[in-house]
Amino acid sequence: MTVDPLHNVVRAVQTTAHYVRENLANYAGSQAGTNPSGESQVGGDVWADQLFFDELSSLECVGSYVSEEREAAVDCGEGYTVAIDPLDGSANLASNNSVGTIVGVYDAPLPTTGRDLVASMMVLYGPYTTMTVAREDSETVQEYLLRDGFSERWGTFTIPEEPTVVGLAGKTTERSADVNTLAESLEEELKLRYGGATVADLAQVLEYGGLFGYPATESYPEGKLRVHFEAAPLAYLIEASGGGSTDGSQSLLDVDPDGLHDRTPTFLGNRSLVERCEGALGD
């Protein structure tokens, strides 16, 4: 029986995520260098990147491996381009807070838009470990519970109709007046949820409905999240769940980056809240 190539990618991410979860504590206090975006790495970033590279690059269906922790794409042959943030929110390790992994599978070389995504995955290493998967060949967004070496189908995701939570990153002194006005309005209506790991914050939105955003700031005038590794894969996942995404004026799947590590302002959540973002921030 022929095995679906996307299934092989999902299984490889699941297998590696099990090992990452079991060994994260070994890297709680270790430091490394800086990544290609100039941000400080912890030892866990480099370690997780190598683990995922070893597993994914060996698949016949993977033609290129592109990581937030590597300057350039690694040629693996012919097949999908896998773009990965191996340890999202790694600064949380030292304080024993949630971290994650984000994977985008593109049917095109990078740079490209999120319209070339064929699958997206996010792993949340929280009190327990879950993996959420959206695929072009499936009408449902599937969640798995990863424990004891097994990956159990745990449920499917459709974003709730009524939003409950909001988490907008960035210091108020560094955000634009329009963003601060929007934030004040949303924070009067919704519960505040922001933890510094994108996967954990988006998991709250998927579970309870709401909005997660990382706008442009003085420190990150192009936004903080990278298009290929974070913004587009998460947009693919949340749009497949019935939600929406925007950079302030268009779907994050339409953002067309020039380089592998380009950034974008990012808003993800209920479509009604995404529309409010565009109304408040659009040109």
Side-chain angles (χ1 to χ4, degrees), residues 6 54 112 205 229 233 241 245 276:
L6 281 180
D54 289 344
T112 190
V205 171
F229 312 112
S241 302
S245 74
R276 282 177 66 175

Side-chain angles (χ1 to χ4, degrees), residues 20-55:
V20 169
R21 172 64 191 213
E22 292 170 1
N23 293 276
L24 271 174
N26 296 332
Y27 297 89
S30 64
Q31 299 297 313
T34 57
N35 66 19
S37 299
E39 296 177 339
S40 297
Q41 294 171 316
V42 302
D45 289 315
V46 179
W47 165 73
D49 177 55
Q50 190 61 47
L51 289 175
F52 281 105
F53 172 75
D54 289 344
E55 194 73 21

Side-chain angles (χ1 to χ4, degrees), residues 128-145:
Y128 48 90
T129 301
T130 57
M131 177 172 165
T132 309
V133 182
R135 297 170 48 161
E136 67 170 1
D137 58 357
S138 175
E139 295 182 357
T140 61
V141 176
Q142 183 71 51
E143 185 180 35
Y144 297 86
L145 176 65

Side-chain angles (χ1 to χ4, degrees), residues 180-255:
N180 283 334
T181 299
L182 173 66
E184 289 172 7
S185 173
L186 293 173
E187 289 166 6
E188 289 178 357
E189 304 170 25
L190 305 170
K191 297 178 182 178
L192 292 177
R193 291 288 188 274
Y194 178 70
T198 303
V199 167
D201 293 322
L202 188 61
Q204 296 253 15
V205 171
L206 282 169
E207 183 68 30
Y208 302 116
L211 182 78
F212 165 76
Y214 213 121
T217 64
E218 290 181 8
S219 297
Y220 296 100
E222 303 301 321
K224 188 174 189 294
L225 301 189
R226 287 81 171 176
V227 178
H228 292 120
F229 312 112
E230 297 161 310
L234 295 179
Y236 183 90
L237 191 153
I238 202 159
E239 290 194 17
S241 302
S245 74
T246 187
D247 64 353
S249 61
Q250 63 180 340
S251 168
L252 291 166
L253 298 179
D254 292 319
V255 174

